[in-house]
Amino acid sequence: MIVVLTGAPGAGKGTQADLIEEKLGLRKVSTGDALRKHVRMGTEIGKVAGALMADGKLVPDDVLFEILKAEFGQRDGEKILLDGYPRNVEQAKTLQTLGERHPVKAVIHLDVSKNQLIERLTGRRVCSNCGKSFHVSFDPPRKEGVCDACGGDLTQRPDDRSDKVAVRLDVYESQTAPVLDYYKEMGLYQKIDGSGEQVEVFKKIEELIKRVAM
Ligand code: AMP
């Protein structure tokens, strides 16, 4: 079964997805992570995706379907936490076609105000070596520009620059927000306030997943 974690860029999906994987045992499938891996490895998919991602735009649906098939594998009954997919209604319909093996049990929307999203995204810094995330104001490293965990250089994701953040939020509003209505009609939609502390947000998600999907 699948639990979909959705929300605007910067809502905290990645952080919460890691906690859900670690503490509740669902396997995290992040389409953003999978695409970034292709870009790093320089695959054909990576070549198509790289420029679009850096611009904050969506990668074509057929590429995402390939990613999804590869990530899901063939095991029936596996509990999957899907982070970053579906990003439009077409993708949501595609996900339904996998319904027999992988039914969607719940769609959790992490809701965060636009101002907070912009603040979170533009201040984010990521370790170029181990991938750990920091924030220049809310979670700064001990030494500026250096990862606490491994000493690697902290960099800004190209799509976290303020002009690209604006594009990503527009794409979210126009293409991803309608997905929420799609799932409301199916009775799967669950909203969680994502504005508080990470642990508090996680507690609410945990309670919800245990109630509706375990
Ligand atoms: P994320 O890490 O989820 O913020 O994704 C980073 C970028 O990867 C997005 O801005 C898109 O360019 C691309 N991406 C990730 N998931 C999808 C998807 N489901 N559909 C299209 N593009 C995606």
Side-chain angles (χ1 to χ4, degrees):
M1 64 90 186
I2 294 174
V3 173
V4 171
L5 189 60
T6 188
K13 298 187 298 293
T15 310
Q16 294 298 332
D18 286 342
L19 286 170
I20 294 165
E21 181 168 63
E22 183 192 323
K23 302 205 185 283
L24 301 179
L26 280 74
R27 182 165 71 85
K28 169 180 130 169
V29 172
S30 158
T31 50
D33 286 352
L35 286 167
R36 278 185 285 278
K37 194 166 164 195
H38 276 282
V39 173
R40 277 199 305 278
M41 288 164 53
T43 66
E44 286 307 309
I45 285 182
K47 283 177 198 152
V48 176
L52 290 165
M53 291 171 76
D55 278 348
K57 294 178 183 155
L58 293 187
V59 174
D61 290 348
D62 55 339
V63 173
L64 264 296
F65 188 53
E66 290 306 312
I67 299 266
L68 209 60
K69 276 194 303 187
E71 292 285 326
F72 274 15
Q74 296 301 314
R75 274 190 287 161
D76 288 336
E78 193 184 19
K79 291 179 178 158
I80 294 173
L81 190 273
L82 197 47
D83 163 17
Y85 191 101
R87 286 282 227 281
N88 60 34
V89 173
E90 225 22 73
Q91 292 183 4
K93 289 181 181 164
T94 300
L95 191 56
Q96 288 308 115
T97 66
L98 303 172
E100 225 166 80
R101 274 179 189 276
H102 300 289
V104 176
K105 276 287 164 69
V107 176
I108 301 175
H109 171 208
L110 277 184
D111 189 36
V112 174
S113 75
K114 193 166 177 180
N115 283 346
Q116 208 178 344
L117 293 170
I118 293 171
E119 209 176 12
R120 285 183 182 184
L121 288 168
T122 55
R124 176 162 63 180
R125 300 292 180 269
V126 182
C127 177
S128 50
N129 182 45
C130 75
K132 189 172 161 60
S133 269
F134 296 85
H135 190 282
V136 290
S137 318
F138 310 136
D139 182 18
R142 285 192 295 272
K143 185 168 175 223
E144 198 185 324
V146 180
C147 177
D148 288 352
C150 74
D153 287 338
L154 298 186
T155 56
Q156 187 173 40
R157 255 169 63 170
D159 56 347
D160 281 346
R161 286 185 12 213
S162 57
D163 54 333
K164 308 301 183 200
V165 164
V167 175
R168 288 163 72 200
L169 293 177
D170 282 350
V171 167
Y172 176 78
E173 279 304 320
S174 61
Q175 301 196 45
T176 310
V179 172
L180 306 181
D181 290 328
Y182 176 85
Y183 285 122
K184 274 178 198 162
E185 274 169 31
M186 294 177 75
L188 294 170
Y189 175 84
Q190 307 276 350
K191 181 153 103 175
I192 295 250
D193 177 2
S195 63
E197 291 287 322
Q198 283 171 13
V199 250
E200 296 307 318
V201 175
F202 177 68
K203 269 192 212 152
K204 289 185 245 171
I205 294 178
E206 180 178 29
E207 190 270 326
L208 185 68
I209 290 183
K210 284 188 172 158
R211 184 160 48 83
V212 301
M214 290 185 98

